[in-house]
Amino acid sequence: MASKNTRINEMIRIREVRLIDEEGEQLGVMPTAEALSMAQEKGIDLVEVSPNANPPVCKLMDYGKYKFEMDKKNRDAKRKQKQTQLKEIRMQPKIEPHDLQFKTKHVKQFLAEGNKVKVTIRFRGRELAHTERGVMVLERVLDMLEDGFAVDRKPMMEGRFMSMILSPKPAKKA
C-alpha cells in the first residue's frame, strides 16, 4: 500500500499548503480551500506528498495512479532484497584430507551463492582435551578457501563444538 497516513482532498485540514501542479510546477503557498477547489475544477485529487514540511507540500494528481506507482515501487524493492541463509558444515578434528577438501568445496559453493557459512568441529570423548586440533582444521579450511570471504566470527568453543562463521565478501560496485 502507498501509505496508510497519506491524506487527500478533504482529509487535509491545514490552513495553508505549498501547491505543485500535475506537471511539477510550483504554484506557491496558498490556502487549502483554494488548492482543493483547483483540484476539483481539473477533476483530480489534492494529495499531501510531504506532510512534515512547513507548510506541507501538496500535489495535484490522480490519487489512484499515485497509489499504484507507490505499490509498484514497494514490490520492486521487496523483490530485489536477497535473503541470506546460514548454512552449516560439520567436521571432526581427525578429518581425512579428502573429506576436508570435499567439505571445503561445499563451503565455497555456499559462499558463492551469497549465504553465510558456519563451519563446526564436533569433539567427542577425549578429543575435547585437544581443541588445538580443531583450530588447525579450521585454519586449513581458511587456507583452502583462498579469498572471497570474510570471517564474521573467529573460531570459538561452544560446549563440545568449536565453530566459526564466514560470510561472502560484498561484490564491488563498479
Side-chain angles (χ1 to χ4, degrees), residues 86-93 95 100 103 107 117-123 134-135 137-138 141 153 155-166:
L86 179 65
K87 302 283 189 170
E88 183 175 18
I89 299 286
R90 287 189 169 186
M91 302 178 191
Q92 289 185 314
I95 189 168
L100 184 65
K103 292 200 178 218
V107 172
V117 182
K118 181 177 185 179
V119 183
T120 304
I121 306 290
R122 181 182 64 198
F123 295 97
V135 173
V137 170
L138 292 175
V141 169
R153 194 176 78 198
M156 196 167 106
M157 283 299 291
E158 303 168 353
R160 292 188 160 273
F161 298 95
M162 176 181 286
S163 62
M164 69 176 173
I165 297 178
L166 307 174

PDB file of all heavy atoms in Angstrom, residues 86-93 95 100 103 107 117-123 134-135 137-138 141 153 155-166:
ATOM      1  N   LEU A  86      22.002 -19.077   6.794  1.00  0.00           N
ATOM      2  CA  LEU A  86      23.190 -19.557   7.480  1.00  0.00           C
ATOM      3  C   LEU A  86      23.258 -21.058   7.255  1.00  0.00           C
ATOM      4  O   LEU A  86      22.395 -21.808   7.718  1.00  0.00           O
ATOM      5  CB  LEU A  86      23.122 -19.240   8.981  1.00  0.00           C
ATOM      6  CG  LEU A  86      24.317 -19.712   9.804  1.00  0.00           C
ATOM      7  CD1 LEU A  86      25.577 -18.974   9.386  1.00  0.00           C
ATOM      8  CD2 LEU A  86      24.068 -19.508  11.274  1.00  0.00           C
ATOM      9  N   LYS A  87      24.247 -21.481   6.470  1.00  0.00           N
ATOM     10  CA  LYS A  87      24.448 -22.905   6.198  1.00  0.00           C
ATOM     11  C   LYS A  87      25.502 -23.409   7.171  1.00  0.00           C
ATOM     12  O   LYS A  87      26.396 -22.679   7.572  1.00  0.00           O
ATOM     13  CB  LYS A  87      24.942 -23.101   4.759  1.00  0.00           C
ATOM     14  CG  LYS A  87      24.025 -22.539   3.694  1.00  0.00           C
ATOM     15  CD  LYS A  87      22.861 -23.429   3.477  1.00  0.00           C
ATOM     16  CE  LYS A  87      22.063 -22.977   2.270  1.00  0.00           C
ATOM     17  NZ  LYS A  87      21.055 -23.912   1.874  1.00  0.00           N
ATOM     18  N   GLU A  88      25.415 -24.688   7.525  1.00  0.00           N
ATOM     19  CA  GLU A  88      26.378 -25.247   8.474  1.00  0.00           C
ATOM     20  C   GLU A  88      27.059 -26.464   7.879  1.00  0.00           C
ATOM     21  O   GLU A  88      26.423 -27.311   7.268  1.00  0.00           O
ATOM     22  CB  GLU A  88      25.683 -25.639   9.778  1.00  0.00           C
ATOM     23  CG  GLU A  88      26.659 -26.147  10.826  1.00  0.00           C
ATOM     24  CD  GLU A  88      26.003 -26.432  12.169  1.00  0.00           C
ATOM     25  OE1 GLU A  88      24.778 -26.572  12.224  1.00  0.00           O
ATOM     26  OE2 GLU A  88      26.753 -26.539  13.151  1.00  0.00           O
ATOM     27  N   ILE A  89      28.375 -26.528   8.049  1.00  0.00           N
ATOM     28  CA  ILE A  89      29.175 -27.680   7.643  1.00  0.00           C
ATOM     29  C   ILE A  89      29.810 -28.226   8.917  1.00  0.00           C
ATOM     30  O   ILE A  89      30.489 -27.496   9.636  1.00  0.00           O
ATOM     31  CB  ILE A  89      30.293 -27.286   6.639  1.00  0.00           C
ATOM     32  CG1 ILE A  89      29.704 -26.704   5.365  1.00  0.00           C
ATOM     33  CG2 ILE A  89      31.183 -28.457   6.339  1.00  0.00           C
ATOM     34  CD1 ILE A  89      29.067 -27.699   4.441  1.00  0.00           C
ATOM     35  N   ARG A  90      29.593 -29.517   9.192  1.00  0.00           N
ATOM     36  CA  ARG A  90      30.156 -30.129  10.397  1.00  0.00           C
ATOM     37  C   ARG A  90      31.321 -31.036  10.033  1.00  0.00           C
ATOM     38  O   ARG A  90      31.273 -31.746   9.037  1.00  0.00           O
ATOM     39  CB  ARG A  90      29.091 -30.957  11.112  1.00  0.00           C
ATOM     40  CG  ARG A  90      28.075 -30.099  11.800  1.00  0.00           C
ATOM     41  CD  ARG A  90      27.192 -30.943  12.668  1.00  0.00           C
ATOM     42  NE  ARG A  90      26.378 -30.077  13.517  1.00  0.00           N
ATOM     43  CZ  ARG A  90      25.591 -30.509  14.457  1.00  0.00           C
ATOM     44  NH1 ARG A  90      25.478 -31.798  14.696  1.00  0.00           N
ATOM     45  NH2 ARG A  90      24.889 -29.672  15.185  1.00  0.00           N
ATOM     46  N   MET A  91      32.331 -31.009  10.893  1.00  0.00           N
ATOM     47  CA  MET A  91      33.528 -31.838  10.710  1.00  0.00           C
ATOM     48  C   MET A  91      33.960 -32.371  12.068  1.00  0.00           C
ATOM     49  O   MET A  91      33.393 -32.018  13.096  1.00  0.00           O
ATOM     50  CB  MET A  91      34.664 -30.998  10.120  1.00  0.00           C
ATOM     51  CG  MET A  91      34.367 -30.336   8.814  1.00  0.00           C
ATOM     52  SD  MET A  91      35.769 -29.353   8.302  1.00  0.00           S
ATOM     53  CE  MET A  91      35.044 -28.442   6.972  1.00  0.00           C
ATOM     54  N   GLN A  92      35.012 -33.215  12.035  1.00  0.00           N
ATOM     55  CA  GLN A  92      35.631 -33.689  13.267  1.00  0.00           C
ATOM     56  C   GLN A  92      37.101 -33.313  13.234  1.00  0.00           C
ATOM     57  O   GLN A  92      37.672 -33.114  12.158  1.00  0.00           O
ATOM     58  CB  GLN A  92      35.479 -35.206  13.390  1.00  0.00           C
ATOM     59  CG  GLN A  92      34.046 -35.610  13.674  1.00  0.00           C
ATOM     60  CD  GLN A  92      33.924 -37.094  13.911  1.00  0.00           C
ATOM     61  OE1 GLN A  92      34.476 -37.899  13.162  1.00  0.00           O
ATOM     62  NE2 GLN A  92      33.196 -37.457  14.946  1.00  0.00           N
ATOM     63  N   PRO A  93      37.754 -33.258  14.383  1.00  0.00           N
ATOM     64  CA  PRO A  93      39.162 -32.856  14.386  1.00  0.00           C
ATOM     65  C   PRO A  93      40.079 -33.860  13.674  1.00  0.00           C
ATOM     66  O   PRO A  93      41.141 -33.495  13.188  1.00  0.00           O
ATOM     67  CB  PRO A  93      39.518 -32.735  15.867  1.00  0.00           C
ATOM     68  CG  PRO A  93      38.429 -33.389  16.612  1.00  0.00           C
ATOM     69  CD  PRO A  93      37.238 -33.413  15.739  1.00  0.00           C
ATOM     70  N   ILE A  95      39.606 -35.348  10.758  1.00  0.00           N
ATOM     71  CA  ILE A  95      39.051 -35.493   9.410  1.00  0.00           C
ATOM     72  C   ILE A  95      40.167 -35.835   8.415  1.00  0.00           C
ATOM     73  O   ILE A  95      41.301 -35.348   8.536  1.00  0.00           O
ATOM     74  CB  ILE A  95      38.292 -34.207   9.006  1.00  0.00           C
ATOM     75  CG1 ILE A  95      37.513 -34.414   7.713  1.00  0.00           C
ATOM     76  CG2 ILE A  95      39.217 -33.013   8.899  1.00  0.00           C
ATOM     77  CD1 ILE A  95      36.523 -33.298   7.419  1.00  0.00           C
ATOM     78  N   LEU A 100      38.122 -33.302   3.951  1.00  0.00           N
ATOM     79  CA  LEU A 100      38.270 -31.874   4.207  1.00  0.00           C
ATOM     80  C   LEU A 100      38.124 -31.083   2.899  1.00  0.00           C
ATOM     81  O   LEU A 100      37.437 -30.067   2.857  1.00  0.00           O
ATOM     82  CB  LEU A 100      39.623 -31.586   4.860  1.00  0.00           C
ATOM     83  CG  LEU A 100      39.867 -30.141   5.280  1.00  0.00           C
ATOM     84  CD1 LEU A 100      38.904 -29.731   6.378  1.00  0.00           C
ATOM     85  CD2 LEU A 100      41.297 -29.962   5.738  1.00  0.00           C
ATOM     86  N   LYS A 103      34.375 -31.121   1.829  1.00  0.00           N
ATOM     87  CA  LYS A 103      33.532 -30.219   2.625  1.00  0.00           C
ATOM     88  C   LYS A 103      33.883 -28.755   2.368  1.00  0.00           C
ATOM     89  O   LYS A 103      33.004 -27.890   2.374  1.00  0.00           O
ATOM     90  CB  LYS A 103      33.639 -30.553   4.106  1.00  0.00           C
ATOM     91  CG  LYS A 103      32.993 -31.915   4.402  1.00  0.00           C
ATOM     92  CD  LYS A 103      32.654 -32.087   5.827  1.00  0.00           C
ATOM     93  CE  LYS A 103      31.978 -33.424   6.021  1.00  0.00           C
ATOM     94  NZ  LYS A 103      30.910 -33.370   6.983  1.00  0.00           N
ATOM     95  N   VAL A 107      31.614 -25.450   1.197  1.00  0.00           N
ATOM     96  CA  VAL A 107      31.686 -24.122   1.812  1.00  0.00           C
ATOM     97  C   VAL A 107      31.831 -23.066   0.720  1.00  0.00           C
ATOM     98  O   VAL A 107      31.143 -22.037   0.741  1.00  0.00           O
ATOM     99  CB  VAL A 107      32.857 -24.036   2.825  1.00  0.00           C
ATOM    100  CG1 VAL A 107      33.052 -22.606   3.309  1.00  0.00           C
ATOM    101  CG2 VAL A 107      32.621 -24.959   4.009  1.00  0.00           C
ATOM    102  N   VAL A 117      28.212 -19.096   6.156  1.00  0.00           N
ATOM    103  CA  VAL A 117      28.520 -20.489   6.457  1.00  0.00           C
ATOM    104  C   VAL A 117      29.108 -20.596   7.857  1.00  0.00           C
ATOM    105  O   VAL A 117      30.018 -19.851   8.224  1.00  0.00           O
ATOM    106  CB  VAL A 117      29.536 -21.084   5.441  1.00  0.00           C
ATOM    107  CG1 VAL A 117      29.808 -22.533   5.741  1.00  0.00           C
ATOM    108  CG2 VAL A 117      29.035 -20.920   4.021  1.00  0.00           C
ATOM    109  N   LYS A 118      28.554 -21.540   8.637  1.00  0.00           N
ATOM    110  CA  LYS A 118      29.075 -21.833   9.966  1.00  0.00           C
ATOM    111  C   LYS A 118      29.823 -23.156   9.856  1.00  0.00           C
ATOM    112  O   LYS A 118      29.223 -24.191   9.576  1.00  0.00           O
ATOM    113  CB  LYS A 118      27.927 -21.949  10.967  1.00  0.00           C
ATOM    114  CG  LYS A 118      28.368 -22.226  12.384  1.00  0.00           C
ATOM    115  CD  LYS A 118      27.153 -22.255  13.302  1.00  0.00           C
ATOM    116  CE  LYS A 118      27.558 -22.412  14.744  1.00  0.00           C
ATOM    117  NZ  LYS A 118      26.386 -22.416  15.631  1.00  0.00           N
ATOM    118  N   VAL A 119      31.135 -23.104  10.028  1.00  0.00           N
ATOM    119  CA  VAL A 119      31.955 -24.313   9.980  1.00  0.00           C
ATOM    120  C   VAL A 119      32.137 -24.776  11.418  1.00  0.00           C
ATOM    121  O   VAL A 119      32.669 -24.051  12.254  1.00  0.00           O
ATOM    122  CB  VAL A 119      33.322 -24.041   9.311  1.00  0.00           C
ATOM    123  CG1 VAL A 119      34.128 -25.316   9.192  1.00  0.00           C
ATOM    124  CG2 VAL A 119      33.131 -23.412   7.936  1.00  0.00           C
ATOM    125  N   THR A 120      31.680 -26.018  11.710  1.00  0.00           N
ATOM    126  CA  THR A 120      31.665 -26.527  13.072  1.00  0.00           C
ATOM    127  C   THR A 120      32.517 -27.775  13.189  1.00  0.00           C
ATOM    128  O   THR A 120      32.452 -28.660  12.338  1.00  0.00           O
ATOM    129  CB  THR A 120      30.209 -26.874  13.485  1.00  0.00           C
ATOM    130  OG1 THR A 120      29.398 -25.724  13.309  1.00  0.00           O
ATOM    131  CG2 THR A 120      30.143 -27.299  14.926  1.00  0.00           C
ATOM    132  N   ILE A 121      33.326 -27.835  14.237  1.00  0.00           N
ATOM    133  CA  ILE A 121      34.108 -29.028  14.565  1.00  0.00           C
ATOM    134  C   ILE A 121      33.465 -29.646  15.803  1.00  0.00           C
ATOM    135  O   ILE A 121      33.285 -28.969  16.813  1.00  0.00           O
ATOM    136  CB  ILE A 121      35.584 -28.680  14.888  1.00  0.00           C
ATOM    137  CG1 ILE A 121      36.228 -27.860  13.766  1.00  0.00           C
ATOM    138  CG2 ILE A 121      36.382 -29.929  15.182  1.00  0.00           C
ATOM    139  CD1 ILE A 121      36.471 -28.608  12.489  1.00  0.00           C
ATOM    140  N   ARG A 122      33.127 -30.942  15.714  1.00  0.00           N
ATOM    141  CA  ARG A 122      32.491 -31.640  16.841  1.00  0.00           C
ATOM    142  C   ARG A 122      33.539 -32.493  17.550  1.00  0.00           C
ATOM    143  O   ARG A 122      34.204 -33.324  16.926  1.00  0.00           O
ATOM    144  CB  ARG A 122      31.352 -32.517  16.318  1.00  0.00           C
ATOM    145  CG  ARG A 122      30.638 -33.249  17.436  1.00  0.00           C
ATOM    146  CD  ARG A 122      29.555 -34.129  16.907  1.00  0.00           C
ATOM    147  NE  ARG A 122      30.170 -35.171  16.087  1.00  0.00           N
ATOM    148  CZ  ARG A 122      29.519 -35.906  15.192  1.00  0.00           C
ATOM    149  NH1 ARG A 122      28.262 -35.708  14.980  1.00  0.00           N
ATOM    150  NH2 ARG A 122      30.141 -36.834  14.509  1.00  0.00           N
ATOM    151  N   PHE A 123      33.686 -32.274  18.837  1.00  0.00           N
ATOM    152  CA  PHE A 123      34.631 -33.048  19.642  1.00  0.00           C
ATOM    153  C   PHE A 123      33.885 -34.146  20.381  1.00  0.00           C
ATOM    154  O   PHE A 123      32.837 -33.898  20.970  1.00  0.00           O
ATOM    155  CB  PHE A 123      35.345 -32.140  20.658  1.00  0.00           C
ATOM    156  CG  PHE A 123      36.220 -31.106  20.012  1.00  0.00           C
ATOM    157  CD1 PHE A 123      35.756 -29.820  19.808  1.00  0.00           C
ATOM    158  CD2 PHE A 123      37.502 -31.422  19.610  1.00  0.00           C
ATOM    159  CE1 PHE A 123      36.557 -28.861  19.220  1.00  0.00           C
ATOM    160  CE2 PHE A 123      38.313 -30.466  19.019  1.00  0.00           C
ATOM    161  CZ  PHE A 123      37.843 -29.182  18.819  1.00  0.00           C
ATOM    162  N   GLY A 134      41.260 -28.869  16.497  1.00  0.00           N
ATOM    163  CA  GLY A 134      40.102 -28.259  15.841  1.00  0.00           C
ATOM    164  C   GLY A 134      40.458 -26.922  15.209  1.00  0.00           C
ATOM    165  O   GLY A 134      40.029 -26.615  14.094  1.00  0.00           O
ATOM    166  N   VAL A 135      41.258 -26.124  15.917  1.00  0.00           N
ATOM    167  CA  VAL A 135      41.701 -24.834  15.381  1.00  0.00           C
ATOM    168  C   VAL A 135      42.524 -25.056  14.118  1.00  0.00           C
ATOM    169  O   VAL A 135      42.364 -24.329  13.124  1.00  0.00           O
ATOM    170  CB  VAL A 135      42.514 -24.044  16.439  1.00  0.00           C
ATOM    171  CG1 VAL A 135      43.106 -22.788  15.839  1.00  0.00           C
ATOM    172  CG2 VAL A 135      41.642 -23.708  17.636  1.00  0.00           C
ATOM    173  N   VAL A 137      42.269 -27.537  11.981  1.00  0.00           N
ATOM    174  CA  VAL A 137      41.365 -27.919  10.892  1.00  0.00           C
ATOM    175  C   VAL A 137      40.678 -26.680  10.320  1.00  0.00           C
ATOM    176  O   VAL A 137      40.593 -26.508   9.103  1.00  0.00           O
ATOM    177  CB  VAL A 137      40.317 -28.950  11.378  1.00  0.00           C
ATOM    178  CG1 VAL A 137      39.246 -29.162  10.336  1.00  0.00           C
ATOM    179  CG2 VAL A 137      40.985 -30.264  11.732  1.00  0.00           C
ATOM    180  N   LEU A 138      40.206 -25.796  11.201  1.00  0.00           N
ATOM    181  CA  LEU A 138      39.539 -24.582  10.732  1.00  0.00           C
ATOM    182  C   LEU A 138      40.503 -23.674   9.964  1.00  0.00           C
ATOM    183  O   LEU A 138      40.124 -23.068   8.960  1.00  0.00           O
ATOM    184  CB  LEU A 138      38.914 -23.823  11.903  1.00  0.00           C
ATOM    185  CG  LEU A 138      37.726 -24.517  12.581  1.00  0.00           C
ATOM    186  CD1 LEU A 138      37.272 -23.726  13.795  1.00  0.00           C
ATOM    187  CD2 LEU A 138      36.581 -24.719  11.617  1.00  0.00           C
ATOM    188  N   VAL A 141      40.877 -25.061   6.524  1.00  0.00           N
ATOM    189  CA  VAL A 141      39.709 -24.701   5.704  1.00  0.00           C
ATOM    190  C   VAL A 141      39.887 -23.292   5.143  1.00  0.00           C
ATOM    191  O   VAL A 141      39.663 -23.046   3.952  1.00  0.00           O
ATOM    192  CB  VAL A 141      38.396 -24.789   6.525  1.00  0.00           C
ATOM    193  CG1 VAL A 141      37.239 -24.157   5.779  1.00  0.00           C
ATOM    194  CG2 VAL A 141      38.081 -26.230   6.867  1.00  0.00           C
ATOM    195  N   ARG A 153      33.014 -14.461  12.627  1.00  0.00           N
ATOM    196  CA  ARG A 153      33.330 -14.845  13.997  1.00  0.00           C
ATOM    197  C   ARG A 153      34.499 -15.814  13.973  1.00  0.00           C
ATOM    198  O   ARG A 153      34.456 -16.839  13.299  1.00  0.00           O
ATOM    199  CB  ARG A 153      32.109 -15.489  14.647  1.00  0.00           C
ATOM    200  CG  ARG A 153      32.277 -15.582  16.153  1.00  0.00           C
ATOM    201  CD  ARG A 153      31.062 -16.115  16.834  1.00  0.00           C
ATOM    202  NE  ARG A 153      31.068 -17.565  16.647  1.00  0.00           N
ATOM    203  CZ  ARG A 153      30.014 -18.343  16.802  1.00  0.00           C
ATOM    204  NH1 ARG A 153      28.862 -17.829  17.120  1.00  0.00           N
ATOM    205  NH2 ARG A 153      30.102 -19.635  16.634  1.00  0.00           N
ATOM    206  N   PRO A 155      37.226 -18.707  15.299  1.00  0.00           N
ATOM    207  CA  PRO A 155      36.961 -19.991  15.959  1.00  0.00           C
ATOM    208  C   PRO A 155      36.744 -19.815  17.459  1.00  0.00           C
ATOM    209  O   PRO A 155      37.527 -19.152  18.145  1.00  0.00           O
ATOM    210  CB  PRO A 155      38.223 -20.791  15.675  1.00  0.00           C
ATOM    211  CG  PRO A 155      38.750 -20.237  14.402  1.00  0.00           C
ATOM    212  CD  PRO A 155      38.418 -18.779  14.438  1.00  0.00           C
ATOM    213  N   MET A 156      35.644 -20.429  17.939  1.00  0.00           N
ATOM    214  CA  MET A 156      35.256 -20.240  19.328  1.00  0.00           C
ATOM    215  C   MET A 156      34.588 -21.514  19.837  1.00  0.00           C
ATOM    216  O   MET A 156      33.834 -22.146  19.103  1.00  0.00           O
ATOM    217  CB  MET A 156      34.248 -19.083  19.361  1.00  0.00           C
ATOM    218  CG  MET A 156      34.007 -18.476  20.687  1.00  0.00           C
ATOM    219  SD  MET A 156      33.106 -16.931  20.436  1.00  0.00           S
ATOM    220  CE  MET A 156      31.515 -17.432  20.996  1.00  0.00           C
ATOM    221  N   MET A 157      34.863 -21.881  21.080  1.00  0.00           N
ATOM    222  CA  MET A 157      34.264 -23.083  21.662  1.00  0.00           C
ATOM    223  C   MET A 157      32.849 -22.787  22.167  1.00  0.00           C
ATOM    224  O   MET A 157      32.603 -21.749  22.758  1.00  0.00           O
ATOM    225  CB  MET A 157      35.097 -23.589  22.850  1.00  0.00           C
ATOM    226  CG  MET A 157      36.363 -24.314  22.469  1.00  0.00           C
ATOM    227  SD  MET A 157      36.109 -25.791  21.486  1.00  0.00           S
ATOM    228  CE  MET A 157      35.343 -26.891  22.656  1.00  0.00           C
ATOM    229  N   GLU A 158      31.926 -23.737  21.899  1.00  0.00           N
ATOM    230  CA  GLU A 158      30.558 -23.680  22.425  1.00  0.00           C
ATOM    231  C   GLU A 158      30.235 -25.082  22.910  1.00  0.00           C
ATOM    232  O   GLU A 158      29.739 -25.902  22.150  1.00  0.00           O
ATOM    233  CB  GLU A 158      29.566 -23.287  21.326  1.00  0.00           C
ATOM    234  CG  GLU A 158      29.850 -21.986  20.631  1.00  0.00           C
ATOM    235  CD  GLU A 158      29.010 -21.799  19.384  1.00  0.00           C
ATOM    236  OE1 GLU A 158      28.285 -22.721  18.970  1.00  0.00           O
ATOM    237  OE2 GLU A 158      29.090 -20.725  18.795  1.00  0.00           O
ATOM    238  N   GLY A 159      30.542 -25.365  24.152  1.00  0.00           N
ATOM    239  CA  GLY A 159      30.316 -26.710  24.681  1.00  0.00           C
ATOM    240  C   GLY A 159      31.277 -27.703  24.031  1.00  0.00           C
ATOM    241  O   GLY A 159      32.482 -27.556  24.125  1.00  0.00           O
ATOM    242  N   ARG A 160      30.739 -28.728  23.352  1.00  0.00           N
ATOM    243  CA  ARG A 160      31.573 -29.732  22.667  1.00  0.00           C
ATOM    244  C   ARG A 160      31.870 -29.345  21.222  1.00  0.00           C
ATOM    245  O   ARG A 160      32.418 -30.141  20.467  1.00  0.00           O
ATOM    246  CB  ARG A 160      30.860 -31.089  22.684  1.00  0.00           C
ATOM    247  CG  ARG A 160      30.746 -31.698  24.059  1.00  0.00           C
ATOM    248  CD  ARG A 160      30.213 -33.108  23.959  1.00  0.00           C
ATOM    249  NE  ARG A 160      30.539 -33.856  25.155  1.00  0.00           N
ATOM    250  CZ  ARG A 160      31.680 -34.513  25.341  1.00  0.00           C
ATOM    251  NH1 ARG A 160      32.608 -34.504  24.410  1.00  0.00           N
ATOM    252  NH2 ARG A 160      31.892 -35.167  26.463  1.00  0.00           N
ATOM    253  N   PHE A 161      31.469 -28.157  20.823  1.00  0.00           N
ATOM    254  CA  PHE A 161      31.653 -27.727  19.439  1.00  0.00           C
ATOM    255  C   PHE A 161      32.540 -26.494  19.371  1.00  0.00           C
ATOM    256  O   PHE A 161      32.486 -25.626  20.230  1.00  0.00           O
ATOM    257  CB  PHE A 161      30.296 -27.376  18.806  1.00  0.00           C
ATOM    258  CG  PHE A 161      29.350 -28.530  18.745  1.00  0.00           C
ATOM    259  CD1 PHE A 161      28.410 -28.726  19.744  1.00  0.00           C
ATOM    260  CD2 PHE A 161      29.393 -29.427  17.693  1.00  0.00           C
ATOM    261  CE1 PHE A 161      27.527 -29.785  19.698  1.00  0.00           C
ATOM    262  CE2 PHE A 161      28.515 -30.487  17.634  1.00  0.00           C
ATOM    263  CZ  PHE A 161      27.580 -30.673  18.630  1.00  0.00           C
ATOM    264  N   MET A 162      33.346 -26.428  18.307  1.00  0.00           N
ATOM    265  CA  MET A 162      34.123 -25.236  18.006  1.00  0.00           C
ATOM    266  C   MET A 162      33.640 -24.779  16.637  1.00  0.00           C
ATOM    267  O   MET A 162      33.549 -25.586  15.710  1.00  0.00           O
ATOM    268  CB  MET A 162      35.619 -25.549  17.953  1.00  0.00           C
ATOM    269  CG  MET A 162      36.466 -24.355  17.541  1.00  0.00           C
ATOM    270  SD  MET A 162      38.207 -24.737  17.459  1.00  0.00           S
ATOM    271  CE  MET A 162      38.597 -24.823  19.182  1.00  0.00           C
ATOM    272  N   SER A 163      33.295 -23.505  16.518  1.00  0.00           N
ATOM    273  CA  SER A 163      32.783 -23.051  15.229  1.00  0.00           C
ATOM    274  C   SER A 163      33.284 -21.666  14.892  1.00  0.00           C
ATOM    275  O   SER A 163      33.703 -20.898  15.762  1.00  0.00           O
ATOM    276  CB  SER A 163      31.262 -23.062  15.239  1.00  0.00           C
ATOM    277  OG  SER A 163      30.783 -22.177  16.213  1.00  0.00           O
ATOM    278  N   MET A 164      33.217 -21.373  13.592  1.00  0.00           N
ATOM    279  CA  MET A 164      33.500 -20.029  13.090  1.00  0.00           C
ATOM    280  C   MET A 164      32.469 -19.737  12.009  1.00  0.00           C
ATOM    281  O   MET A 164      31.929 -20.656  11.392  1.00  0.00           O
ATOM    282  CB  MET A 164      34.918 -19.915  12.537  1.00  0.00           C
ATOM    283  CG  MET A 164      35.176 -20.675  11.277  1.00  0.00           C
ATOM    284  SD  MET A 164      36.849 -20.354  10.699  1.00  0.00           S
ATOM    285  CE  MET A 164      36.937 -21.515   9.360  1.00  0.00           C
ATOM    286  N   ILE A 165      32.177 -18.469  11.811  1.00  0.00           N
ATOM    287  CA  ILE A 165      31.188 -18.079  10.813  1.00  0.00           C
ATOM    288  C   ILE A 165      31.877 -17.260   9.731  1.00  0.00           C
ATOM    289  O   ILE A 165      32.604 -16.307  10.022  1.00  0.00           O
ATOM    290  CB  ILE A 165      30.032 -17.281  11.451  1.00  0.00           C
ATOM    291  CG1 ILE A 165      29.309 -18.176  12.461  1.00  0.00           C
ATOM    292  CG2 ILE A 165      29.070 -16.771  10.391  1.00  0.00           C
ATOM    293  CD1 ILE A 165      28.182 -17.512  13.193  1.00  0.00           C
ATOM    294  N   LEU A 166      31.626 -17.658   8.483  1.00  0.00           N
ATOM    295  CA  LEU A 166      32.184 -16.972   7.324  1.00  0.00           C
ATOM    296  C   LEU A 166      31.038 -16.348   6.533  1.00  0.00           C
ATOM    297  O   LEU A 166      29.952 -16.894   6.475  1.00  0.00           O
ATOM    298  CB  LEU A 166      32.916 -17.964   6.412  1.00  0.00           C
ATOM    299  CG  LEU A 166      33.985 -18.841   7.060  1.00  0.00           C
ATOM    300  CD1 LEU A 166      34.499 -19.872   6.065  1.00  0.00           C
ATOM    301  CD2 LEU A 166      35.136 -17.982   7.542  1.00  0.00           C
TER     302      LEU A 166
END
